[in-house]
Amino acid sequence: MSATTADRISSFYQTSIGKKVVMAATGVILFGFLVGHLLGNVQIFAGADKFNAYAEFLHNTPSLLWGTRIVLLLSLFGHVTAVVQLYRARAEARPVQYKVKRNRGATLASRLMLVSGVAVFAFIIFHLLHFTTGTVHGDFKPDDPAHNLISAFTIPTVALAYVVAMGLVAMHLYHGLWSFTQSLGVSHPRYTGRIKASAMLVSVALCAAFASIPILILAHYVK
Amino acid sequence: MQLDAKVPSGPIEKKWDQAKFDLKLVNPANKRKYSVIVVGSGLAGASAAASLAELGYQVKCFCFQDSPRRAHSIAAQGGINAAKNYQNDGDSVQRLFYDTVKGGDFRAREANVYRLAQISVNIIDQCVAQGVPFAREYGGALANRSFGGAQVSRTFYARGQTGQQLLLGAYQALERQIGLGRVTMYPRTEMLDLVLVDGRARGIVTRDLITGEVASHVADAVVLGTGGYGNVFYLSTNAKGSNATAIWRAHKRGALFANPCFTQIHPTCIPVSGDYQSKLTLMSESLRNDGRIWVPLKKGDTRSPSDIPPSDRDYYLERRYPAFGNLVPRDVASRNAKTVCDEGRGVGPTGLGVYLDLSESIGRLGIATIRERYGNLIDMYERITGEDPYKTPMRIYPAIHYTMGGLWVDYNLMSTIPGMYVLGEANFSDHGANRLGASALMQGLADGYFIIPYTIGDYLASTKLEKVDAAHAAFADAERGVKEQTARFLASDGKRTVDSFHKELGRLMWEKCGMGRTATGLKEAVVKIPELRERFWSEVAVPGTGEELNRELEKAGRVADYMELAELTCRDALARNESCGGHFREEYQTPEGEALRDDDNYSYAAAWEWKGTGQEPALHKEPLAFEHVHLAQRSYK
Amino acid sequence: MRTFSLTLHVWRQKNTKDPGGFVAYKVPEVSEHMSFLEMLDVVNEGLIVKGDDPIAFDHDCREGICGTCGFMINGDAHGPHRGTTVCQLHMRHFQDGEELWLEPWRAAAFPVMKDLVVDRGAFDRIIAAGGFISAPTGSAPDGNAILVPKPASDRAMDAAACIGCGACVAMCPNSAAALFTGAKIAHLNLLPQGQPEAAARVVAMVGQMETEGFGHCTSTGQCEAVCPKEIPIEVIARMNWDFIKASADKREAKSRGD
């Protein structure tokens, strides 16, 4: 019956709801990664050695490192593919635009999901070239991630760019974190307010914690 | 012409059973060979189309709206009656029957009303099964309320949107049949003529309201469920598109029109605010359960209502009708409002309004309870008037709401044209001279779900119908007539809009044939209406072409029909020298000012036969016998 | 009584094929007590007398329940007032000298027929696909045979209040019909009577919604903000849940009887 199962998954994915489910599920995975990533990164506050030891542990555990990388890549691929398909259909759904259009009842975050999403995607690529491959890093030492981090964020424009990027991530996360409950159909009006508030709290806290790294490095708090 | 109502013999409670046994059946395998046209998609039309398709007939359904879900049944607020006696408060089929005949002021056909009361219980079952979200008690059972002066709680309701929910139930059943391919739906399509072949209804001619295409549709039977003609008054609670064109054109093809002067004026509508007024909005009369109606005691008292002390207020309904108070039937409440306004005691900028005051109930029950009961109505009032009924009394005034008259039908709902059936408000059958609250929905659904499926089969099974197609000369003639009328409108180089004529006609009707009628006034109207009609045809401006969406052209056709129907309505009112229900002739009233019937001379349904434009119509009478409900003067004192 | 003047910029389009464009109209005397549609009636009366084509707009009951009327006023579906259809929107909410842009609902699934009139037949087809309970006339048990808990009945009624006007689609940045479809599914799937067909219903209706070419839901909540019956987007979540569950549960029928 494998053909039937494949057909069934395919016909589920054909619908916009199916695609939204993929976006919600992959979004949750990507969010989970962010939490892990943050826990790793804040070790910089415990000193360069601690941080480097953490990086070395990852490199010495290829199953964890590559396992994570593969899951993330697939998630990102799913997330982006679905959104590209949805937005292509969206353009067809309204061939003539309004001359005047208000956005009543919609948050800025919800309306700018595509913009923040594209920006975050661009940031991820830059981030990989910056700290993983070192391609765009002026002073990259493959064996000293702590050095790479500190030397990068002592440059004010780089630090600022990262802080701005975190703002965009927060925005994207805020809407994503509450709307995934809608997409998966697990929301309830009694909790909607709390879900939105929690989404706001989590996304802001998470991104503020991330942003604290460049800020504190720039302020020479971390050396 | 001898009118044969075809009422089955036997005791009244067995008549419908007897009829169902006597009516011939169409073999199940043969049903798909028969085609039926249903015009209108309200409660009557949609329920009929769905039920007939379920039986296997090929159905074509037509509506002028963009979707069958928008028919004006959707606007009914209050509820639907049924003799379920779920409340154990003494209701029964017999009592609903009795209340309806009495409420109709003894001008309805007993056998039809009894059947309506019997079927009422099936309607609720059917609607619940379809998913109509009726109000419920905490235990999960259906809730009821007392409505429109009934002394038992037999009204089922879905908040203030009962009509909407019932219509959606019927609409969904209809859409199911459309999805199954058993009904072909023609939205935005207007019926402009009925086609007879060998004296039988064999189809209709329609105009596609988007493309303007005029087309013929052939069938073995035609069912009209096209609603009432209240818009002949221009201002009414009807939808703007509600019209009498289908029934009027069928009338001109030979269907008798019965009791056109029985028009219902609803007492609780928002008053007119200016010349631009396009329609009147009903406030459900359930508000009368908790609202007290009053006007200032003295003429010309312009103080704001809160500054008028109780001693200077006249709660005129409570004063005149201590037993029923604010809950007297609609016709009585309306007439009394007119009387106090005629005395110069009306309120609001126009002086045509009375107060409906919730303040005492708010004090007694709390604002939360009132909001729960009437919140959506009160919000609607505030949206329209900008006034807050929680703080200041609402202003209300009567408005044309429902028409009890309509095409004459026999017990089987067949008109005087063989093969043409008329359901719901479009027929005249069940409400006599006055309809009780929450009975219109009941009748529309009874006709569509539970009567027409039986009776139409009898006609099809017992009639030899020859094969006819749209090429038949009768269809070609009808199409030509429709096209000629369109061409005549478009050729006119007049300067006045259709609406301006419609408003003028409406004002005339409201003055001469509204809440109070006199022989003098009606005679005047019978002269003035044909004059107005002449001017309409020569001075009306209809822009655009016939081959596009052209609202003015649509309206012009409908107003042309109102111009003729208005005259008939006045003639009927003039011929009925008595007061009964919604028909109040000022010459015929009791010393206390109540309607005075003349049962010896007017206990009949007046069925009018069309004799041509400008010709006097011929009156045929169907005598009404009251064997089960004792004729009595209605009293709500 | 306050009267004032307005400038309207109205989308005029002769038929589906015509490209269309805006035409400006000065309205010199607007009474605050007029409804928005009565104001347009007055404009049209003037146009007809001049021999011009009046502005076509859909309307019928003019009491906010039939769902026929609706267009955009300055980018808001049904105008700026919450929980109100355009027929119940009164002019007292506007100021002297205001400029108003009137546009039809814009969505590929709602082609413009003329001026502000669109074809919403897609909604009917979504209902025909499964927005019903199959209860042929005559087959019903007694009304009280199946008790319905009051909370379920109330929630079903909240969803059933939908008037099918299309404002949700018009306002949605993605032209999604999720609120409309979700409301109907919620109405029927919340009731015990709707259970036998619950799974088939959601699959069929969502399928039809997709076929009609509506966009996807991004949970912006604009539909809920302009819905004249204030139907909450909770119904969309319910639809998603029912759809996911039905898709996962679906079993292949051994033989299809119908």
Side-chain angles (χ1 to χ4, degrees), chain B residues 86 171-172 279 384 551, chain C residues 57 63 92 124 142 184:
Chain B
Y86 281 155
Y171 157 76
Q172 287 162 201
K279 80 152 272 159
I384 292 173
R551 290 278 157 76
Chain C
F57 57 91
E63 49 188 276
R92 70 181 69 89
D124 289 325
D142 183 83
K184 183 49 62 187

Side-chain angles (χ1 to χ4, degrees), chain B residues 148-183:
Chain B
Q151 289 174 312
V152 289
S153 289
R154 65 158 75 99
T155 302
F156 294 77
Y157 61 100
R159 299 201 185 136
Q161 293 122 280
T162 316
Q164 179 198 28
Q165 293 309 315
L166 295 175
L167 182 64
L168 291 181
Y171 157 76
Q172 287 162 201
L174 173 61
E175 285 295 338
R176 175 168 169 257
Q177 295 303 314
I178 294 169
L180 292 169
R182 295 180 191 150
V183 174

Side-chain angles (χ1 to χ4, degrees), chain B residues 304-366:
Chain B
S304 102
S306 55
D307 294 337
I308 302 180
S311 56
D312 288 350
R313 297 177 180 190
D314 180 13
Y315 293 91
Y316 58 90
L317 289 177
E318 296 171 21
R319 174 170 58 80
R320 295 192 60 187
Y321 308 96
F324 279 70
N326 294 301
L327 294 173
V328 290
R330 290 175 177 177
D331 53 338
V332 179
S334 296
R335 246 187 341 267
N336 278 279
K338 179 183 188 301
T339 309
V340 295
C341 292
D342 287 351
E343 288 165 10
R345 298 195 285 147
V347 300
T350 58
L352 293 174
V354 299
Y355 289 126
L356 190 151
D357 195 343
L358 291 166
S359 59
E360 195 198 272
S361 296
I362 290 173
R364 183 162 42 89
L365 302 164

